[in-house]
Amino acid sequence: KVKSQGGGSIAALSPDDHGRLNRKALIEKRLMHALDRNNMQVLYQPQVDILTGRITGAEALVRWRDEEAGIVSPEELIPIAEETGLIHDIGLFVLESVCQQMKDWATRGINLHVSINSSVREFRDKDMASLIQEHLDQNNCRPDQLTVEITEKFALEAEAERSIIRQMMLLQQSGVTFALDDFGTGYASFRYMQLLPISELKIDKQFIQSLSQQEKMPKLVSGMIQFGKSMDFRVIAEGVETNEQFEVLRTLGCDVTQGYLSGHPVEAAELERWLKSAD
Ligand code: C2E
Ligand code: MG
Ligand code: MG
Ligand code: MG
């Protein structure tokens, strides 16, 4: 087994490379049947209004524990799923789970706003506008209860693909909103801000977590919040872990926080208990 290096020379794979490739092959193999085996799950992490302290919504995050591969984190899972196309199955599983959950919550008077994460490949290969609308309809969910989170990488690619923009526009017209996730970490281009129907900005956790460690960070984060506000975006801070971070963000005018301080991602029933105990 060999890999080519820059100048066309060939080097043997290191033990590290072997480990990584074996792990990837195992995940690919196991992933194909993961959904049949019913061992994928959706957890919900609360999003909290910074002024009232109330839970206004939740982000749906996929979890996978496999008998052979063990716990596969989304950071490991999603790139492989994107590459193999299995992201379509995962995306559909999450969409179905979330819509069913919203329907179930509605029967108990809970109308929580839910965000899902989407990969660009889902919008490229599938008609996501129809797929999302069908699922919302089937479960009597209001479209304005759903947010689709996209990354800067997604935005950058979507910008050049008419059919993706069209699907996003259709969804926006029906009431679905879009959030720009991990803001500030990707390919910062401001062009897509006016092209794509984005209405929410999620400041990446790396900025929040170094708020008090790096001198320039409060100014940088303040600038991001001001930018979001001037675009009429709702601004969410990700990865808020301490009261200190929370206070700084409140002072800077951030709208919503999401992070371990207000709660880890949990099962739907647990989130429901949190909602009840806050009443
Ligand atoms: P993301 O969309 O930016 O989600 C936030 C991530 O930050 C989650 O990691 C969450 O558990 C973690 N997090 C939340 N609060 C804190 C905190 O206070 N401190 C720290 N250190 N971390 C916090 P997770 O669940 O491991 O997901 C990682 C990424 O995988 C997500 O980042 C998202 O990009 C992707 N992902 C997760 N579920 C899905 C999915 O269903 N579909 C797609 N396409 N991507 C997904
Ligand atoms: Mg997200
Ligand atoms: Mg994020
Ligand atoms: Mg992320």
Side-chain angles (χ1 to χ4, degrees), residues 192-210:
Y192 53 65
M193 297 283 179
Q194 55 153 29
L195 255 171
L196 305 180
I198 293 162
S199 61
E200 188 175 291
L201 211 61
K202 298 190 78 176
I203 301 176
D204 191 74
K205 52 178 173 284
Q206 76 180 56
F207 298 103
I208 308 305
Q209 292 180 348
S210 40

Side-chain angles (χ1 to χ4, degrees), residues 45 59-63 74-75 78 87 90 94 117-119 122 149 181-182 205 209 238-241 258-260 265:
Q45 185 176 35
E59 177 172 8
L61 295 158
V62 74
R63 290 291 177 268
E75 311 281 5
I78 300 298
I87 192 69
I90 295 176
V94 173
N117 293 280
S118 263
S119 301
E122 295 177 73
E149 299 191 359
D181 204 355
D182 305 342
K205 52 178 173 284
Q209 292 180 348
E238 294 191 302
V240 180
E241 293 181 357
Q258 182 183 337
Y260 297 163

Side-chain angles (χ1 to χ4, degrees), residues 41-44 101 105 264-273:
Q41 187 189 15
V42 176
L43 296 187
Y44 296 85
Q101 189 58 60
W105 273 333
H264 282 255
V266 290
E267 286 180 26
E270 177 71 4
L271 186 71
E272 201 173 324
R273 279 192 284 278

